Amino acid sequence: MNPGGQVLKQLHCSDAIQGSLACEMVEELGGVEYADRCGTRDSDKEKQMDVSKDIVWHQHSVDREQRERQLGQQGCVIWFTGLSGCGKSTIANALDAMLVSEGRATTLLDGDNVRHGLCAPPAVLEPEHGAEFAERFGLGFGAVDREENIRRIGNVAALMASAGLITLTAFVSPYRRDRDRVRKIVAQAGRASDFVEVFVDTPLEVCEARDPKGLYKKARAGEIKHFTGISDPYESPESPEIRLDGGAGESVEAMAGQVREWLVGKGVF
Ligand SMILES: Nc1ncnc2c1ncn2[C@@H]1O[C@H](COP(=O)(O)OS(=O)(=O)O)[C@@H](OP(=O)(O)O)[C@H]1O
Ligand SMILES: Nc1ncnc2c1ncn2[C@@H]1O[C@H](COP(=O)(O)OP(=O)(O)O)[C@@H](O)[C@H]1O
């Protein structure tokens, strides 16, 4: 990677972050906010820029194929996306239970849960790590924070798929670019077909009527900023592998079954 070159100038911010660039280099790419939050801040910037050259990929003796053979399935990422309240968690949870009852090895990453740990907000980090750390690494719901949230989850999901697990994820993941980046990460870790985008397409009115956590009410009252569908955008997938019509009165079991059938059809197990 040539950090000063034209090639980098064309990169997106988070691609540059993966290359361990210093704040100024990332800023140069146009991502000032992301750079300030996530770029390296060490005084010895020269050394920081060279760090990537000192990291060498380690080839393990147990490879992915061996793990998959042992489990009798292909690792993959089933990525549920949609508005808050569309049914992502409920359907992913039903599918998870269905697959586990059949002896499949799975895992389920859910937005609300992951935001309690790996992607915790600043207020959760501050008591243990201090204000500066919390401000730098804690995540909220602005576009850059969602980008980092999905980047972290995408990498974790790819690692889990590499371990042979059927990895179910339920995140709003409202931005197409962020989802497409995860698709790329997952494909690079395995096969192009390993990323399965499932769009839970439930009309906003239905989600808002459900409002199980009272968040839409708060968003309408202006108590929550950047609320997807109300004061923040949701970019629908253009060509998801699977589209579930979450507002048509179909049962959760039927929709989970639809995803299961798709996996069977693709030979995942
Ligand atoms: N501003 C705003 N916008 C959307 N959602 C919000 C917001 N604030 C809190 N919540 C709650 O957080 C859950 C979404 O977290 P995610 O990590 O999935 O979001 S994202 O993928 O980074 O967009 C989401 O969970 P689900 O309702 O299960 O989708 C909400 O309960
Ligand atoms: N197909 C469905 N039909 C009726 N209610 C549903 C359906 N799917 C989900 N629900 C209900 O809608 C609410 C939101 O579902 P949830 O899975 O939490 O959505 P999300 O994870 O997308 O925020 C829950 O109360 C759930 O029971």
Side-chain angles (χ1 to χ4, degrees):
M1 190 183 276
N2 166 20
Q6 196 58 31
V7 175
L8 264 187
K9 290 216 168 89
Q10 290 161 4
L11 281 175
H12 293 297
C13 250
S14 51
D15 292 333
I17 301 281
Q18 284 182 327
S20 299
L21 295 184
C23 285
E24 285 82 351
M25 301 309 282
V26 184
E27 261 182 44
E28 208 183 294
L29 303 171
V32 179
E33 193 190 345
Y34 203 127
D36 185 46
R37 291 281 303 281
C38 307
T40 59
R41 284 180 177 179
D42 271 68
S43 52
D44 189 353
K45 297 263 168 66
E46 193 88 23
K47 190 173 155 211
Q48 288 298 316
M49 281 160 55
D50 282 338
V51 160
S52 63
K53 293 183 194 138
D54 302 332
I55 302 168
V56 181
W57 189 265
H58 200 283
Q59 208 58 45
H60 294 149
S61 47
V62 180
D63 65 13
R64 179 176 182 148
E65 283 68 34
Q66 195 176 339
R67 293 183 198 282
E68 292 184 331
R69 256 197 318 277
Q70 198 165 46
L71 293 168
Q73 62 183 40
Q74 286 179 7
C76 59
V77 176
I78 316 298
W79 189 274
F80 289 84
T81 173
L83 294 169
S84 176
C86 70
K88 302 180 295 295
S89 306
T90 310
I91 300 166
N93 193 54
L95 176 61
D96 192 31
M98 207 178 265
L99 295 176
V100 167
S101 75
E102 294 169 6
R104 300 290 150 215
T106 70
T107 190
L108 171 55
L109 300 168
D110 188 283
D112 276 322
N113 297 358
V114 170
R115 279 179 179 273
H116 278 82
L118 179 66
C119 301
V124 170
L125 298 180
E126 189 169 343
E128 184 72 25
H129 299 275
E132 198 190 329
F133 183 100
E135 194 249 323
R136 188 170 168 201
F137 296 112
L139 301 181
F141 288 91
V144 173
D145 288 40
R146 292 188 202 248
E147 177 178 343
E148 176 61 3
N149 185 39
I150 298 308
R151 191 191 71 82
R152 289 182 200 173
I153 305 308
N155 278 281
V156 169
L159 287 172
M160 290 182 165
S162 297
L165 299 176
I166 298 172
T167 306
L168 312 176
T169 72
F171 295 86
V172 174
S173 45
Y175 297 112
R176 218 169 273 144
R177 191 174 76 166
D178 294 344
R179 295 191 302 264
D180 287 347
R181 283 177 177 153
V182 178
R183 183 185 286 277
K184 220 191 301 175
I185 292 167
V186 171
Q188 275 165 1
R191 298 154 293 252
S193 58
D194 288 346
F195 183 83
V196 181
E197 192 172 31
V198 182
F199 177 29
V200 185
D201 192 0
T202 308
L204 176 63
E205 311 79 74
V206 175
C207 298
E208 194 166 357
R210 289 177 182 167
D211 203 10
K213 303 168 204 160
L215 296 178
Y216 281 98
K217 200 166 169 227
K218 280 194 189 169
R220 287 285 183 201
E223 292 166 29
I224 304 180
K225 281 194 237 163
H226 299 296
F227 197 80
T228 307
I230 304 297
S231 46
D232 231 37
Y234 179 78
E235 298 173 357
S236 300
E238 278 167 345
S239 45
E241 276 72 12
I242 303 171
R243 179 186 160 274
L244 301 175
D245 193 346
E250 228 185 308
S251 75
V252 169
E253 295 303 315
M255 285 190 282
Q258 211 176 307
V259 180
R260 185 192 168 281
E261 285 311 305
W262 192 94
L263 295 174
V264 171
K266 290 288 172 188
V268 168
F269 54 85

